[in-house]
Amino acid sequence: FLTNSVFEELKGIGGVFAQRVRTVLDKTPDDLRDAVDALLLRLVSVRDDGEFGWQSAAWERISNQPNLGVPGAQALLWLLNQRVLAGRRLGLDDFRIEIAKPLPFCEIPRFERLLSDNRRALRQRQQLVLAYEDWQRLHRIPSKLPEAGFLKDALQLMQGWGPHLTWEEQRYIAAGKKRQSRRRMRMSVAALTVVVGLLAFGRAQHLQQVETLRATENAAKLAIAVT
């Protein structure tokens, strides 16, 4: 029970919720801690100005992320029961989860540490997710697979932050890498074909020059013999 003075000291409902979140996260079971952090990071977006914001996520979309799965489901239920997260069913395959009440990240020291430690990776993952969704929307056309610098960044993200990427996101990156390898192979074959062609042309030119020289020498010898 909160007295009026305590309620005011906590800055109203937002402050009360922030205090609740801090308390809940401080007592996170050790076996759920990593999954709780991974789940919370999925509810963070990065705005164009580089600042963080809250977003919702479809559980079915993120549940096969390697660091979620079974512990992720347990972490989700725990956060729902603790009323840190809220959930709503938008469809048969769309159980949408979100923070129960948006609050400044600075209110929760654990959030601040998470964001500080994963700022770059969060931005890269958001770009990857947007590109993946665009690829899906356009019926997986090859031209929308990651390539060049974007593919390089995605591969580095998968190497260092792979457990935070769903299997679909990882397969999307792998498909881009495979396409790049095929393209490089075709370019290598084409370049080799050109080189072989140039060598063959040079050889033919050389043989022609030799034949011309021989013919000239034979004509000169014949002219000398006649005289």
Side-chain angles (χ1 to χ4, degrees):
F1 178 76
L2 295 177
T3 64
N4 289 337
S5 60
V6 172
F7 185 78
E8 291 176 359
E9 184 179 345
L10 290 174
K11 299 179 181 179
I13 295 176
V16 171
F17 179 67
Q19 179 60 48
R20 176 175 182 77
V21 173
R22 287 194 292 268
T23 301
V24 169
L25 294 184
D26 285 343
K27 64 177 184 180
T28 301
D30 290 340
D31 58 336
L32 297 182
R33 186 169 293 272
D34 289 344
V36 165
D37 288 348
L39 193 54
L40 292 174
L41 286 174
R42 273 290 175 179
L43 302 180
V44 175
S45 64
V46 185
R47 298 198 298 260
D48 292 338
D49 60 4
E51 295 299 316
F52 294 109
W54 291 105
Q55 66 179 359
S56 64
W59 171 248
E60 292 82 0
R61 162 80 172 78
I62 65 172
S63 59
N64 67 16
Q65 188 172 295
N67 57 8
L68 290 177
V70 174
Q74 295 172 346
L76 174 60
L77 290 174
W78 188 73
L79 291 171
L80 289 171
N81 289 334
Q82 297 293 328
R83 291 175 293 174
V84 170
L85 300 185
R88 50 200 171 102
R89 175 67 64 183
L90 299 182
L92 291 177
D93 296 319
D94 190 356
F95 182 69
R96 193 68 52 140
I97 56 176
E98 56 193 355
I99 193 77
K101 179 178 177 58
L103 73 168
F105 295 102
C106 61
E107 296 279 346
I108 312 297
R110 185 162 161 187
F111 281 168
E112 282 200 302
R113 288 195 299 272
L114 273 176
L115 299 182
S116 176
D117 293 343
N118 298 283
R119 178 178 292 271
R120 176 178 171 82
L122 281 168
R123 178 184 289 277
Q124 289 180 321
R125 183 174 68 180
Q126 181 165 303
Q127 293 171 342
L128 177 69
V129 169
L130 291 174
Y132 168 77
E133 291 175 346
D134 191 36
W135 178 63
Q136 288 282 83
R137 188 165 48 252
L138 294 175
H139 307 290
R140 301 189 177 191
I141 58 175
S143 62
K144 287 296 182 178
L145 287 169
E147 57 184 9
F150 182 58
L151 176 60
K152 180 181 178 181
D153 289 343
L155 288 169
Q156 290 177 347
L157 180 66
M158 186 166 68
Q159 182 178 7
W161 220 51
H164 290 272
L165 303 179
T166 66
W167 292 120
E168 288 83 2
E169 291 160 357
Q170 294 191 40
R171 281 194 288 266
Y172 172 63
I173 297 171
K177 182 180 179 182
K178 185 176 182 179
R179 180 170 182 258
Q180 183 185 74
S181 297
R182 287 177 174 175
R183 180 182 295 177
R184 286 177 175 174
M185 179 64 71
R186 287 196 297 268
M187 291 176 64
S188 297
V189 170
L192 182 60
T193 301
V194 170
V195 170
V196 171
L198 289 174
L199 289 174
F201 178 76
R203 174 70 174 169
Q205 288 288 93
H206 175 69
L207 292 176
Q208 185 176 5
Q209 290 174 355
V210 170
E211 288 299 321
T212 301
L213 180 60
R214 286 177 179 174
T216 301
E217 291 176 349
N218 291 336
K221 290 179 181 179
L222 181 61
I224 292 173
V226 171
T227 59

